[in-house]
PDB file of all heavy atoms in Angstrom:
ATOM      1  N   TYR A 466     -32.334  17.590 -80.992  1.00  0.00           N
ATOM      2  CA  TYR A 466     -32.305  18.868 -81.427  1.00  0.00           C
ATOM      3  C   TYR A 466     -32.584  19.983 -80.373  1.00  0.00           C
ATOM      4  O   TYR A 466     -33.283  19.631 -79.460  1.00  0.00           O
ATOM      5  CB  TYR A 466     -33.660  19.024 -82.519  1.00  0.00           C
ATOM      6  CG  TYR A 466     -33.492  18.187 -83.774  1.00  0.00           C
ATOM      7  CD1 TYR A 466     -33.892  16.922 -83.861  1.00  0.00           C
ATOM      8  CD2 TYR A 466     -32.781  18.716 -84.933  1.00  0.00           C
ATOM      9  CE1 TYR A 466     -33.890  16.267 -84.963  1.00  0.00           C
ATOM     10  CE2 TYR A 466     -32.742  18.074 -86.047  1.00  0.00           C
ATOM     11  CZ  TYR A 466     -33.221  16.714 -86.077  1.00  0.00           C
ATOM     12  OH  TYR A 466     -33.147  16.135 -87.209  1.00  0.00           O
ATOM     13  N   ASP A 467     -31.904  21.062 -80.577  1.00  0.00           N
ATOM     14  CA  ASP A 467     -32.166  22.170 -79.710  1.00  0.00           C
ATOM     15  C   ASP A 467     -33.054  23.107 -80.203  1.00  0.00           C
ATOM     16  O   ASP A 467     -32.768  23.901 -81.221  1.00  0.00           O
ATOM     17  CB  ASP A 467     -30.753  22.808 -79.524  1.00  0.00           C
ATOM     18  CG  ASP A 467     -30.908  24.044 -78.606  1.00  0.00           C
ATOM     19  OD1 ASP A 467     -31.898  24.348 -77.976  1.00  0.00           O
ATOM     20  OD2 ASP A 467     -29.909  24.876 -78.421  1.00  0.00           O
ATOM     21  N   ILE A 468     -34.453  23.068 -79.707  1.00  0.00           N
ATOM     22  CA  ILE A 468     -35.405  23.744 -80.472  1.00  0.00           C
ATOM     23  C   ILE A 468     -35.296  25.242 -80.188  1.00  0.00           C
ATOM     24  O   ILE A 468     -35.890  26.054 -80.877  1.00  0.00           O
ATOM     25  CB  ILE A 468     -36.820  23.397 -80.008  1.00  0.00           C
ATOM     26  CG1 ILE A 468     -37.045  23.659 -78.530  1.00  0.00           C
ATOM     27  CG2 ILE A 468     -37.153  21.697 -80.174  1.00  0.00           C
ATOM     28  CD1 ILE A 468     -38.503  23.598 -78.073  1.00  0.00           C
ATOM     29  N   TRP A 469     -34.465  25.662 -79.276  1.00  0.00           N
ATOM     30  CA  TRP A 469     -34.353  27.078 -79.089  1.00  0.00           C
ATOM     31  C   TRP A 469     -33.482  27.777 -80.211  1.00  0.00           C
ATOM     32  O   TRP A 469     -33.500  28.942 -80.183  1.00  0.00           O
ATOM     33  CB  TRP A 469     -33.620  27.344 -77.652  1.00  0.00           C
ATOM     34  CG  TRP A 469     -34.549  26.888 -76.608  1.00  0.00           C
ATOM     35  CD1 TRP A 469     -34.584  25.661 -76.020  1.00  0.00           C
ATOM     36  CD2 TRP A 469     -35.499  27.689 -75.847  1.00  0.00           C
ATOM     37  NE1 TRP A 469     -35.507  25.602 -75.061  1.00  0.00           N
ATOM     38  CE2 TRP A 469     -36.215  26.826 -74.987  1.00  0.00           C
ATOM     39  CE3 TRP A 469     -35.947  28.989 -76.039  1.00  0.00           C
ATOM     40  CZ2 TRP A 469     -37.213  27.316 -74.065  1.00  0.00           C
ATOM     41  CZ3 TRP A 469     -36.982  29.274 -75.211  1.00  0.00           C
ATOM     42  CH2 TRP A 469     -37.577  28.591 -74.169  1.00  0.00           C
ATOM     43  N   GLN A 470     -32.931  26.959 -81.100  1.00  0.00           N
ATOM     44  CA  GLN A 470     -32.282  27.506 -82.206  1.00  0.00           C
ATOM     45  C   GLN A 470     -33.297  27.928 -83.343  1.00  0.00           C
ATOM     46  O   GLN A 470     -32.823  28.385 -84.368  1.00  0.00           O
ATOM     47  CB  GLN A 470     -31.276  26.547 -82.708  1.00  0.00           C
ATOM     48  CG  GLN A 470     -30.061  26.425 -81.726  1.00  0.00           C
ATOM     49  CD  GLN A 470     -29.450  27.801 -81.442  1.00  0.00           C
ATOM     50  OE1 GLN A 470     -29.065  28.560 -82.262  1.00  0.00           O
ATOM     51  NE2 GLN A 470     -29.161  27.991 -80.179  1.00  0.00           N
ATOM     52  N   VAL A 471     -34.506  27.523 -83.259  1.00  0.00           N
ATOM     53  CA  VAL A 471     -35.506  27.709 -84.255  1.00  0.00           C
ATOM     54  C   VAL A 471     -35.845  29.139 -83.968  1.00  0.00           C
ATOM     55  O   VAL A 471     -36.558  29.459 -82.925  1.00  0.00           O
ATOM     56  CB  VAL A 471     -36.787  26.896 -84.155  1.00  0.00           C
ATOM     57  CG1 VAL A 471     -37.814  27.240 -85.187  1.00  0.00           C
ATOM     58  CG2 VAL A 471     -36.382  25.391 -84.414  1.00  0.00           C
ATOM     59  N   ASN A 472     -35.609  30.110 -84.886  1.00  0.00           N
ATOM     60  CA  ASN A 472     -36.195  31.483 -84.787  1.00  0.00           C
ATOM     61  C   ASN A 472     -36.582  32.033 -86.044  1.00  0.00           C
ATOM     62  O   ASN A 472     -36.395  31.484 -87.057  1.00  0.00           O
ATOM     63  CB  ASN A 472     -34.990  32.294 -83.962  1.00  0.00           C
ATOM     64  CG  ASN A 472     -33.882  32.665 -84.779  1.00  0.00           C
ATOM     65  OD1 ASN A 472     -33.760  32.148 -86.073  1.00  0.00           O
ATOM     66  ND2 ASN A 472     -32.966  33.292 -84.241  1.00  0.00           N
ATOM     67  N   GLU A 473     -37.034  33.210 -85.902  1.00  0.00           N
ATOM     68  CA  GLU A 473     -37.543  33.964 -87.179  1.00  0.00           C
ATOM     69  C   GLU A 473     -36.531  34.026 -88.189  1.00  0.00           C
ATOM     70  O   GLU A 473     -35.464  34.550 -88.092  1.00  0.00           O
ATOM     71  CB  GLU A 473     -38.097  35.393 -86.677  1.00  0.00           C
ATOM     72  CG  GLU A 473     -38.834  36.196 -87.756  1.00  0.00           C
ATOM     73  CD  GLU A 473     -40.152  35.402 -88.229  1.00  0.00           C
ATOM     74  OE1 GLU A 473     -40.552  34.611 -87.491  1.00  0.00           O
ATOM     75  OE2 GLU A 473     -40.598  35.861 -89.213  1.00  0.00           O
ATOM     76  N   ASP A 474     -36.962  33.526 -89.549  1.00  0.00           N
ATOM     77  CA  ASP A 474     -36.210  33.730 -90.623  1.00  0.00           C
ATOM     78  C   ASP A 474     -34.852  33.060 -90.618  1.00  0.00           C
ATOM     79  O   ASP A 474     -33.866  33.499 -91.209  1.00  0.00           O
ATOM     80  CB  ASP A 474     -36.061  35.181 -91.155  1.00  0.00           C
ATOM     81  CG  ASP A 474     -37.223  35.693 -91.894  1.00  0.00           C
ATOM     82  OD1 ASP A 474     -37.809  34.974 -92.629  1.00  0.00           O
ATOM     83  OD2 ASP A 474     -37.488  36.901 -91.774  1.00  0.00           O
ATOM     84  N   ALA A 475     -34.622  31.979 -89.852  1.00  0.00           N
ATOM     85  CA  ALA A 475     -33.571  31.272 -89.926  1.00  0.00           C
ATOM     86  C   ALA A 475     -33.400  30.624 -91.393  1.00  0.00           C
ATOM     87  O   ALA A 475     -34.444  30.359 -92.112  1.00  0.00           O
ATOM     88  CB  ALA A 475     -33.582  29.923 -89.029  1.00  0.00           C
ATOM     89  N   GLU A 476     -32.302  30.497 -91.918  1.00  0.00           N
ATOM     90  CA  GLU A 476     -32.087  29.989 -93.220  1.00  0.00           C
ATOM     91  C   GLU A 476     -32.097  28.485 -93.272  1.00  0.00           C
ATOM     92  O   GLU A 476     -31.185  27.788 -92.864  1.00  0.00           O
ATOM     93  CB  GLU A 476     -30.826  30.478 -93.814  1.00  0.00           C
ATOM     94  CG  GLU A 476     -30.694  31.957 -93.967  1.00  0.00           C
ATOM     95  CD  GLU A 476     -31.735  32.503 -94.929  1.00  0.00           C
ATOM     96  OE1 GLU A 476     -32.070  31.820 -95.977  1.00  0.00           O
ATOM     97  OE2 GLU A 476     -32.211  33.627 -94.709  1.00  0.00           O
ATOM     98  N   TYR A 477     -33.153  27.802 -93.720  1.00  0.00           N
ATOM     99  CA  TYR A 477     -33.276  26.330 -93.819  1.00  0.00           C
ATOM    100  C   TYR A 477     -32.917  25.763 -95.078  1.00  0.00           C
ATOM    101  O   TYR A 477     -33.053  26.313 -96.187  1.00  0.00           O
ATOM    102  CB  TYR A 477     -34.787  25.928 -93.662  1.00  0.00           C
ATOM    103  CG  TYR A 477     -35.319  26.563 -92.224  1.00  0.00           C
ATOM    104  CD1 TYR A 477     -36.258  27.578 -92.287  1.00  0.00           C
ATOM    105  CD2 TYR A 477     -34.787  26.083 -91.075  1.00  0.00           C
ATOM    106  CE1 TYR A 477     -36.724  28.282 -91.184  1.00  0.00           C
ATOM    107  CE2 TYR A 477     -35.393  26.713 -89.830  1.00  0.00           C
ATOM    108  CZ  TYR A 477     -36.171  27.715 -89.903  1.00  0.00           C
ATOM    109  OH  TYR A 477     -36.703  28.339 -88.904  1.00  0.00           O
ATOM    110  N   HIS A 478     -32.168  24.729 -95.020  1.00  0.00           N
ATOM    111  CA  HIS A 478     -31.674  23.992 -96.219  1.00  0.00           C
ATOM    112  C   HIS A 478     -31.646  22.502 -95.959  1.00  0.00           C
ATOM    113  O   HIS A 478     -31.544  22.153 -94.876  1.00  0.00           O
ATOM    114  CB  HIS A 478     -30.389  24.576 -96.651  1.00  0.00           C
ATOM    115  CG  HIS A 478     -29.178  24.462 -95.883  1.00  0.00           C
ATOM    116  ND1 HIS A 478     -28.370  23.295 -95.788  1.00  0.00           N
ATOM    117  CD2 HIS A 478     -28.688  25.292 -94.788  1.00  0.00           C
ATOM    118  CE1 HIS A 478     -27.510  23.421 -94.867  1.00  0.00           C
ATOM    119  NE2 HIS A 478     -27.725  24.459 -94.198  1.00  0.00           N
ATOM    120  N   GLU A 479     -31.454  21.787 -96.936  1.00  0.00           N
ATOM    121  CA  GLU A 479     -31.313  20.311 -96.864  1.00  0.00           C
ATOM    122  C   GLU A 479     -29.885  20.126 -96.377  1.00  0.00           C
ATOM    123  O   GLU A 479     -28.870  20.708 -96.834  1.00  0.00           O
ATOM    124  CB  GLU A 479     -31.562  19.589 -98.059  1.00  0.00           C
ATOM    125  CG  GLU A 479     -32.959  19.626 -98.440  1.00  0.00           C
ATOM    126  CD  GLU A 479     -33.381  18.786 -99.658  1.00  0.00           C
ATOM    127  OE1 GLU A 479     -32.472  17.932-100.064  1.00  0.00           O
ATOM    128  OE2 GLU A 479     -34.579  18.881-100.207  1.00  0.00           O
ATOM    129  N   ALA A 480     -29.767  19.192 -95.427  1.00  0.00           N
ATOM    130  CA  ALA A 480     -28.451  18.834 -94.708  1.00  0.00           C
ATOM    131  C   ALA A 480     -28.317  17.247 -94.834  1.00  0.00           C
ATOM    132  O   ALA A 480     -28.751  16.586 -93.908  1.00  0.00           O
ATOM    133  CB  ALA A 480     -28.313  19.305 -93.527  1.00  0.00           C
ATOM    134  N   GLY A 481     -27.698  16.763 -95.876  1.00  0.00           N
ATOM    135  CA  GLY A 481     -27.490  15.262 -95.921  1.00  0.00           C
ATOM    136  C   GLY A 481     -28.711  14.639 -96.617  1.00  0.00           C
ATOM    137  O   GLY A 481     -29.649  15.253 -97.054  1.00  0.00           O
ATOM    138  N   ALA A 482     -28.665  13.319 -96.646  1.00  0.00           N
ATOM    139  CA  ALA A 482     -29.590  12.626 -97.429  1.00  0.00           C
ATOM    140  C   ALA A 482     -30.907  12.221 -96.591  1.00  0.00           C
ATOM    141  O   ALA A 482     -31.898  11.723 -97.145  1.00  0.00           O
ATOM    142  CB  ALA A 482     -29.050  11.245 -97.893  1.00  0.00           C
ATOM    143  N   SER A 483     -30.813  12.349 -95.334  1.00  0.00           N
ATOM    144  CA  SER A 483     -31.860  12.029 -94.456  1.00  0.00           C
ATOM    145  C   SER A 483     -33.265  12.979 -94.726  1.00  0.00           C
ATOM    146  O   SER A 483     -33.251  14.071 -94.506  1.00  0.00           O
ATOM    147  CB  SER A 483     -31.489  12.205 -92.978  1.00  0.00           C
ATOM    148  OG  SER A 483     -32.679  11.983 -92.133  1.00  0.00           O
ATOM    149  N   SER A 484     -34.322  12.231 -95.163  1.00  0.00           N
ATOM    150  CA  SER A 484     -35.501  13.044 -95.351  1.00  0.00           C
ATOM    151  C   SER A 484     -36.040  13.699 -94.097  1.00  0.00           C
ATOM    152  O   SER A 484     -36.819  14.738 -94.103  1.00  0.00           O
ATOM    153  CB  SER A 484     -36.482  12.166 -96.046  1.00  0.00           C
ATOM    154  OG  SER A 484     -36.870  11.121 -95.234  1.00  0.00           O
ATOM    155  N   ALA A 485     -35.691  12.947 -92.992  1.00  0.00           N
ATOM    156  CA  ALA A 485     -36.071  13.358 -91.611  1.00  0.00           C
ATOM    157  C   ALA A 485     -35.551  14.797 -91.346  1.00  0.00           C
ATOM    158  O   ALA A 485     -36.034  15.592 -90.565  1.00  0.00           O
ATOM    159  CB  ALA A 485     -35.844  12.480 -90.624  1.00  0.00           C
ATOM    160  N   GLN A 486     -34.379  15.091 -91.818  1.00  0.00           N
ATOM    161  CA  GLN A 486     -33.663  16.309 -91.637  1.00  0.00           C
ATOM    162  C   GLN A 486     -33.802  17.308 -92.740  1.00  0.00           C
ATOM    163  O   GLN A 486     -33.537  18.533 -92.625  1.00  0.00           O
ATOM    164  CB  GLN A 486     -32.163  16.125 -91.440  1.00  0.00           C
ATOM    165  CG  GLN A 486     -31.924  15.232 -90.053  1.00  0.00           C
ATOM    166  CD  GLN A 486     -30.277  14.984 -89.946  1.00  0.00           C
ATOM    167  OE1 GLN A 486     -29.532  15.710 -90.520  1.00  0.00           O
ATOM    168  NE2 GLN A 486     -30.052  13.881 -89.246  1.00  0.00           N
ATOM    169  N   ALA A 487     -34.230  16.901 -93.822  1.00  0.00           N
ATOM    170  CA  ALA A 487     -34.175  17.918 -95.018  1.00  0.00           C
ATOM    171  C   ALA A 487     -35.300  18.868 -94.706  1.00  0.00           C
ATOM    172  O   ALA A 487     -36.385  18.730 -94.201  1.00  0.00           O
ATOM    173  CB  ALA A 487     -34.780  17.014 -96.167  1.00  0.00           C
ATOM    174  N   ALA A 488     -34.943  20.147 -94.957  1.00  0.00           N
ATOM    175  CA  ALA A 488     -35.607  21.460 -94.861  1.00  0.00           C
ATOM    176  C   ALA A 488     -35.815  21.818 -93.207  1.00  0.00           C
ATOM    177  O   ALA A 488     -36.235  22.886 -92.975  1.00  0.00           O
ATOM    178  CB  ALA A 488     -37.045  21.393 -95.468  1.00  0.00           C
TER     179      ALA A 488
END
Side-chain angles (χ1 to χ4, degrees):
Y466 292 93
D467 179 6
I468 69 160
W469 294 90
Q470 294 301 314
V471 176
N472 71 359
E473 185 68 14
D474 275 328
E476 296 298 327
Y477 304 106
H478 63 90
E479 294 190 7
S483 170
S484 61
Q486 293 175 22

